[in-house]
């Protein structure tokens, strides 16, 4: 199996909410000082999904990351987990894109890679939460895509996958080549073993500039946006919590029940 | 699409019925259409769905476009996309509304990429800009830490809408509208990703999305056993138990109970958050609750910035006393 995983570097979503800041003059998030970026959670699970196919059937995993000033230790994590090679679409021209321009550049990079059976993406990225890029890549390449996948079985060149829905899951059969977007119900991504980290340190990522993937420069990054960002802001929260006290926790809890009754909540 | 006109809602149909989100989309779509002074259409895609047209009109639509085809019996994306594209080209709407549901979140981006336009997913507010007449699309981003307002001058402007973020209009059974059947020319050969079967996870008791009281448990529950205590509390209220992603990822409780950005959206009268920190990703699924109560041992936990009432302490000590007192009060 030839596999491609799209993995995005994002500000750490687990950083304390109090450190989250938006610069209204640029409409951009200010990275919290001292908190390094990470691979978006769902993309790490997408790496895990590819690794499990490789564990069972063998194959090669190429990781694609798009951005600018990518932190090598961060984008190499999938390699440390067990992926085979890393291609970076790294250039200022790729920055500040939307789902459309990002999917377009990634699809063009996939075309340059050529041979593949499955492209794995996370269900959505931890920064913009749009959940569109995997679908967009498939639509641009004209191949099928199944979203919100929580299980993948490979047999006879055909995939049988489980897709999450509100009240359970659907079983879907999909031919290769195809795109799968992976959801957290798939399971936890594996830790990168020390041996993997050492191996990853020796792998030199391939960097592709826009000219390398033959993209139309007006269609990538900020220039290629189809959705215009008018305003980015933090919703104002009014802390109004009434803390119910008591001699001990049990008494406070009983007082809480009484309070809810008085306030006609129950 | 220079002559784009009107608003089109793609109905979410679950087990042959209009889902609640569809009535919310029609309520919101009605306001947007009135703001533009144009028509509100609804598209009903499925098998045996023609009978829903009158109901959709009663919820606010002027016209109902029906694609009734056996190939649309189950959700198979390629067939649904072909039908959606056909209806969109027939109407040339300015605005398309989908629900942020398993179908909508899958289909709306496909349609946008197919048509070469943009889509904003999971919108929580929509309005028409008085100057440009473009749709202002507000969605939560960065796991709920921020909000972003998007516009697009490409037609149609497509969005998916977060469930329970919009209100339906009162149903008016006397409303009259036009029903138009559309032949989409679907062909089994266009379906590449084939639906095999659905596996339903049986829910005991009250459905989470409809429960008047939800008891949410998080990482601090520490083990599956804790959730049994939450179940007991939920039964007192005839409510349901919800959970956070860490609780689900630890395997303590089925993923169908997950509340949040990547789980279910609940808006109960009372949400009791037990041993959960109140991350913005979780709050995205429950911040619309009327009253939020927090039980957490960390006084600095974000949940105390979101809650109306709270106690600081270990849930293991709090829960038995709270449940006991409630039994007395509710007796």
């Amino acid at each position: 199996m030839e596999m491609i995983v799209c993995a995005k570097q994002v500000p750490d979503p687990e950083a304390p909410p109090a450190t989250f800041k938006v610069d209204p003059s640029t409409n951009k998030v200010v990275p919290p000082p001292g908190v390094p970026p990470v691979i978006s959670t769902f993309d790490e699970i997408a790496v895990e999904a590819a690794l499990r196919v490789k564990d069972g059937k063998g194959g090669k995993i190429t990781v694609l990351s798009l951005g600018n000033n990518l932190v090598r230790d961060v984008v190499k994590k999938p390699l440390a987990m067990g992926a085979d090679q890393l291609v970076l679409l790294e250039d200022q021209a790729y920055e500040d894109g939307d789902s459309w321009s990002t999917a377009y550049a990634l699809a063009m990079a996939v075309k340059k890679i050529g041979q593949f059976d499955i492209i794995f993406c996370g269900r959505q990225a931890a920064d913009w939460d749009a959940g569109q890029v995997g679908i967009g890549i498939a639509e641009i390449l004209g191949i099928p895509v199944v979203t919100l996948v929580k299980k993948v079985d490979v047999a006879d060149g055909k995939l049988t996958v489980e897709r999450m829905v509100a009240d359970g899951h659907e079983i879907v059969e999909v031919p290769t080549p195809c795109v799968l977007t992976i959801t957290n119900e798939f399971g936890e991504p594996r830790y990168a073993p020390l041996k993997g980290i050492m191996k990853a340190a020796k792998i030199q990522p391939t960097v592709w500039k826009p000219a390398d993937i033959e993209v139309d420069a007006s269609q990538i990054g900020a220039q290629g946006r189809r959705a215009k960002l008018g305003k980015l802001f933090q919703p104002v929260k009014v802390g109004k919590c009434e803390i119910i006290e008591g001699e001990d926790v049990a008494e406070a809890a009983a007082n809480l029940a009484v309070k809810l009754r008085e306030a006609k909540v129950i | 699409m220079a002559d784009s006109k009107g608003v089109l809602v793609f109905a979410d149909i679950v087990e042959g019925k209009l889902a609640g989100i569809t009535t919310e989309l029609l309520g919101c779509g009605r306001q947007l259409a009135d703001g533009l002074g144009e028509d509100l259409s609804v598209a009903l895609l499925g098998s045996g769905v023609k009978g829903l047209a009158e109901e959709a009109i009663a919820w606010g639509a002027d016209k109902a476009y029906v694609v009734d085809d056996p190939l649309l019996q189950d959700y198979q994306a390629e067939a649904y996309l072909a039908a959606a594209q056909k209806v969109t080209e027939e109407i040339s709407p300015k605005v398309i509304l989908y629900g942020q549901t398993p179908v909508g979140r899958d289909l709306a981006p496909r349609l946008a990429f197919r048509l070469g336009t943009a889509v904003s997913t999971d919108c929580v507010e929509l309005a028409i800009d008085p100057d440009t007449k473009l749709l202002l699309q507000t969605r939560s981003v960065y796991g709920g830490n921020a909000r972003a307002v998007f516009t697009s001058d490409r037609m149609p402007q497509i969005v998916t809408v977060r469930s329970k973020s919009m209100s339906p209009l009162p149903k008016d059974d006397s409303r009259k509208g036009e029903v138009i059947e559309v032949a989409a020319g679907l062909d089994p050969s266009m379906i590449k990703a084939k639906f095999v079967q659905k596996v339903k996870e049986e829910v005991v008791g009250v459905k989470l999305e409809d429960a008047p009281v939800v008891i949410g448990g998080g990482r601090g529950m520490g083990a599956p056993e804790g959730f049994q205590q939450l179940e007991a509390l939920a039964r007192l209220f005839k409510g349901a138990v919800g959970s956070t992603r860490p609780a689900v990822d630890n395997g303590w409780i089925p993923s169908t109970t997950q509340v949040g950005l990547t789980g279910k959206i609940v808006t109960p009268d009372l949400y009791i958050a037990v041993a959960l920190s109140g991350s913005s990703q979780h709050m995205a699924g429950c911040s619309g609750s009327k009253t939020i109560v927090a039980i957490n041992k960390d006084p600095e936990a974000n949940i105390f910035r979101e809650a109306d009432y709270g106690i600081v302490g270990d849930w293991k000590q709090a829960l038995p006393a709270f449940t006991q007192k409630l039994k007395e009060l509710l007796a």
Side-chain angles (χ1 to χ4, degrees):
Chain A
M1 280 277 157
E2 294 284 327
M3 292 172 279
I4 296 171
V5 184
C6 299
K8 184 179 191 182
Q9 174 184 306
V10 296
D12 189 349
E14 301 287 329
T19 64
F20 185 86
K21 293 277 176 298
V22 167
D23 179 351
S25 67
T26 58
N27 263 351
K28 283 187 185 177
V29 171
V30 184
V35 184
V38 294
I39 295 292
S40 182
T41 328
F42 299 114
D43 297 352
E44 243 185 75
I45 303 171
V47 174
E48 175 63 31
L51 287 169
R52 285 199 209 165
V53 172
K54 188 182 163 185
D55 291 344
K57 302 275 165 187
K60 196 179 91 193
I61 301 171
T62 303
V63 178
L64 262 180
S65 295
L66 175 146
N68 198 25
N69 299 322
L70 298 168
V71 181
R72 292 301 186 263
D73 282 350
V74 173
V75 292
K76 279 189 171 184
K77 185 168 181 193
L79 293 174
M81 289 166 71
D84 299 282
Q85 57 184 42
L86 175 63
V87 175
L88 302 179
L89 305 184
E90 190 176 39
D91 195 278
Q92 205 179 355
Y94 295 122
E95 276 192 307
D96 299 327
D98 64 356
S99 300
W100 199 93
S101 53
T102 302
Y104 168 68
L106 288 169
M108 293 302 280
V110 168
K111 276 190 189 171
K112 186 174 166 91
I113 291 171
Q115 173 72 30
F116 68 94
D117 299 296
I118 313 173
I119 301 172
F120 292 91
C121 299
R123 60 175 286 172
Q124 65 200 62
D127 49 3
W128 293 98
D129 287 317
Q132 295 187 37
V133 164
I135 296 171
I137 292 171
E139 192 56 43
I140 292 168
L141 295 174
I143 58 174
V145 48
V146 184
T147 57
L148 306 178
V149 169
K150 68 162 189 162
K151 192 162 185 285
V152 181
D153 281 315
V154 186
D156 308 324
K158 196 176 64 183
L159 303 179
T160 305
V161 302
E162 293 181 4
R163 175 175 190 266
M164 282 290 297
V165 292
D167 55 352
H169 66 264
E170 295 170 347
I171 298 173
V172 179
E173 281 178 5
V174 58
T176 57
C178 66
V179 177
L180 304 177
T181 82
I182 306 294
T183 183
N184 55 290
E185 288 83 0
F186 191 92
E188 293 278 310
R190 66 193 63 187
Y191 286 102
L194 187 60
K195 207 172 76 180
I197 296 170
M198 282 158 62
K199 191 192 96 186
K202 291 191 201 112
I203 300 176
Q204 199 58 30
T206 306
V207 178
W208 286 344
K209 297 286 170 188
D212 295 321
I213 53 171
E214 295 176 28
V215 284
D216 178 344
S218 70
Q219 299 295 308
I220 59 166
Q223 274 208 67
R225 290 192 75 98
R226 296 185 173 197
K228 293 184 180 58
L229 175 60
K231 195 167 120 185
L232 183 68
F233 63 100
Q234 288 173 265
V236 182
K237 275 180 200 156
V238 197
K240 53 180 173 18
C241 186
E242 184 180 336
I243 300 290
I244 312 296
E245 312 275 357
E247 281 293 313
D248 54 21
V249 176
E251 194 188 292
N255 291 343
L256 171 66
V258 173
K259 183 77 196 181
L260 293 178
R261 194 32 149 343
E262 283 170 5
K264 297 192 167 58
V265 174
I266 55 171
Chain B
M1 293 200 192
D3 52 350
S4 300
K5 227 176 156 82
V7 177
L8 170 62
V9 165
F10 276 93
D12 210 70
I13 300 167
V14 176
E15 292 174 351
K17 296 195 181 88
L18 291 184
I21 178 75
T22 305
T23 63
E24 296 159 23
L25 295 173
L26 288 168
C28 163
R30 183 73 263 162
Q31 283 187 345
L32 296 175
D34 290 345
L36 291 164
E38 294 170 9
D39 276 352
L40 174 64
S41 303
V42 62
L44 300 156
L45 276 45
S47 178
V49 294
K50 199 186 164 201
L52 299 174
E54 297 298 326
E55 194 190 340
I57 288 164
W59 286 110
D62 299 308
K63 290 177 185 167
Y65 290 78
V66 180
V67 185
D68 207 322
D69 192 307
L71 287 177
L72 301 174
Q73 171 70 38
D74 299 297
Y75 179 63
Q76 305 197 89
E78 287 99 356
Y80 266 77
L81 176 58
Q85 191 177 359
K86 179 85 183 171
V87 172
T88 302
E89 284 166 358
E90 183 114 357
I91 303 174
S92 291
K94 274 194 186 117
V95 172
I96 292 180
L97 308 180
Y98 273 100
Q100 175 77 352
T101 63
V103 171
R105 73 194 324 157
D106 187 86
L107 195 50
R110 290 177 195 259
L111 184 63
F113 275 87
R114 183 63 60 92
L115 299 173
T117 179
V119 52
S120 290
T121 51
D122 206 14
C123 288
V124 292
E125 268 179 60
L126 295 170
I128 301 290
D129 185 308
D131 300 326
T132 62
K133 301 287 175 204
L134 290 176
L135 184 65
L136 300 170
Q137 309 159 11
T138 305
R139 52 188 301 269
S140 97
V141 294
Y142 284 87
N145 278 315
R147 293 217 163 160
V149 186
F150 289 98
T151 55
S152 173
D153 52 14
R154 287 175 185 251
M155 299 293 139
Q157 306 160 81
I158 307 178
V159 295
T160 72
V161 178
R162 180 176 291 185
S163 85
K164 294 170 181 165
S165 63
M166 309 285 168
S167 305
L169 295 169
K171 194 177 177 205
D172 178 1
D173 289 316
S174 67
R175 264 185 75 87
K176 293 274 173 283
E178 196 184 340
V179 180
I180 302 127
E181 288 197 64
V182 179
L186 303 181
D187 176 337
S189 70
M190 64 175 52
I191 298 170
K192 295 178 199 149
K194 290 191 179 66
F195 173 91
V196 180
Q197 67 172 102
K198 179 164 172 180
V199 180
K200 265 180 105 162
E201 228 162 273
E202 288 309 322
V203 184
V204 189
V206 187
K207 209 174 144 201
L208 183 56
E209 299 96 310
D210 304 333
V213 177
V214 174
I215 321 292
R219 199 194 302 259
M221 298 305 294
E225 291 71 33
F227 281 91
Q228 290 165 11
Q229 290 193 46
L230 300 188
E231 292 282 357
L233 181 57
R235 275 196 298 275
L236 271 184
F237 288 115
K238 295 185 176 58
V241 170
S243 65
T244 65
R245 222 188 91 194
V248 167
D249 287 347
N250 276 306
W252 300 337
I253 184 157
S255 61
T256 43
T257 63
Q258 188 185 316
V259 170
L261 191 63
T262 58
K264 297 201 164 62
I265 312 287
V266 299
T267 52
D269 295 331
L270 175 59
Y271 188 85
I272 304 182
V274 185
L276 65 84
S277 67
S279 71
S280 37
Q281 288 87 348
H282 180 69
M283 296 317 295
C286 63
S287 60
S289 308
K290 230 176 252 164
T291 302
I292 297 177
V293 170
I295 300 175
N296 201 299
K297 64 180 177 192
D298 176 10
E300 297 302 316
N302 189 59
I303 190 65
F304 290 113
R305 274 185 280 279
E306 309 273 356
D308 302 282
Y309 303 98
I311 49 176
V312 179
D314 189 343
W315 69 268
K316 285 178 187 158
Q317 288 154 33
L319 217 53
F322 182 64
T323 308
Q324 182 54 39
K325 193 71 184 175
L326 273 176
K327 274 186 190 158
E328 291 169 32
L329 292 169
L330 296 173

